[in-house]
Amino acid sequence: MSTQSDPHISLRPATSDDLKQILSIEVQSYPEPWKIDHFESELERPYTRALVLTDDETDTIVVGYIIYWIQAEGVSLLNLAVDPKWRGFGFGMKLMQAMIKEAVNEDISRIVLEVRESNQTAITLYESIGFKVTHKRKSFYSNGETALVMEIKTSEASSTVQ
Ligand SMILES: CC(C)(COP(=O)(O)OP(=O)(O)OC[C@H]1O[C@@H](n2cnc3c(N)ncnc32)[C@H](O)[C@@H]1OP(=O)(O)O)[C@@H](O)C(=O)NCCC(=O)NCCS
């Protein structure tokens, strides 16, 4: 499979058939990974969007995924991960752009997310889009780590997807 400069990677809604690969990426990506039933229940919620990036050739190699809620009061990012083998090729940004595009199209005014204070890679990605820290949630994660709550007005993020 080629990389970002190659167009043979596409975005589509995730299905239960993707969960095995999603879980494999999930456990390599987070200290407290979601379990399969968490993914399954998100796939069933009417306001959840779950997207995967897969190879066009077989449509079975999952490179990364994004899961977010689309609600009138805001879009909430729940989960974003790229296979460690494919990090640094722009796929994380591509997944973020898909979420932002939907927020623009649905005319939802803001996008919010939480990120571990220690997750500098993700924080750099979010800051490069224009997300700002609004507040902190102390001991948010079960290991006691603080969450940064970050937010952007959709109108300010829209330049990222033009
Ligand atoms: C965060 C994550 C999704 C980024 O995916 P990615 O495909 O590697 O990211 P991209 O290649 O699209 O990079 C986009 C931007 O992120 C930032 N970034 C990516 N990797 C970085 C690194 N190792 N160090 C610092 N910044 C980094 C840069 O700003 C980069 O833009 P640039 O390439 O123009 O410099 C990926 O590292 C991951 O899956 N991490 C584990 C799960 C996770 O932490 N998810 C976020 C939870 S809130």
Side-chain angles (χ1 to χ4, degrees):
M1 193 172 66
S2 315
T3 57
Q4 177 214 19
S5 54
D6 186 318
H8 303 311
I9 303 282
S10 303
L11 202 61
R12 63 161 170 77
T15 72
S16 52
D17 291 342
D18 301 313
L19 286 181
K20 197 171 164 211
Q21 284 196 68
I22 288 176
L23 277 171
S24 155
I25 297 172
E26 176 79 8
V27 297
Q28 297 177 74
S29 298
Y30 293 106
E32 293 162 27
W34 286 12
K35 303 254 181 342
I36 189 156
D37 52 346
H38 196 156
F39 285 100
E40 284 170 341
S41 55
E42 285 304 335
L43 286 181
E44 281 169 16
R45 285 185 216 279
Y47 50 85
T48 296
R49 300 290 182 275
L51 305 174
V52 284
L53 275 176
T54 62
D55 69 304
D56 288 348
E57 209 176 317
T58 69
D59 193 23
T60 57
I61 301 170
V62 176
V63 170
Y65 52 91
I66 188 165
I67 300 175
Y68 53 95
W69 287 348
I70 288 274
Q71 292 174 308
E73 61 271 26
V75 171
S76 309
L77 175 62
L78 303 184
N79 199 332
L80 166 74
V82 170
D83 184 324
K85 293 194 290 290
W86 295 103
R87 289 184 190 160
F89 292 114
F91 295 128
M93 181 61 95
K94 205 170 174 146
L95 289 160
M96 288 296 287
Q97 284 169 337
M99 176 181 68
I100 294 163
K101 228 178 229 172
E102 190 163 2
V104 171
N105 292 343
E106 296 293 323
D107 206 18
I108 296 170
S109 64
R110 65 193 193 116
I111 306 170
V112 295
L113 61 85
E114 280 131 8
V115 57
R116 283 176 189 269
E117 202 171 35
S118 64
N119 191 350
Q120 199 48 57
T121 302
I123 294 167
T124 305
L125 166 61
Y126 303 143
E127 284 178 342
S128 75
I129 294 168
F131 279 87
K132 301 253 172 0
V133 176
T134 54
H135 56 285
K136 296 184 180 189
R137 293 200 174 121
K138 288 210 184 301
S139 305
F140 184 76
Y141 298 100
S142 40
N143 70 348
E145 193 171 348
T146 295
L148 304 183
V149 181
M150 301 184 82
E151 183 172 328
I152 192 169
K153 289 200 178 82
T154 305
S155 56
E156 288 165 10
S158 55
S159 60
T160 312
V161 294
Q162 276 157 8

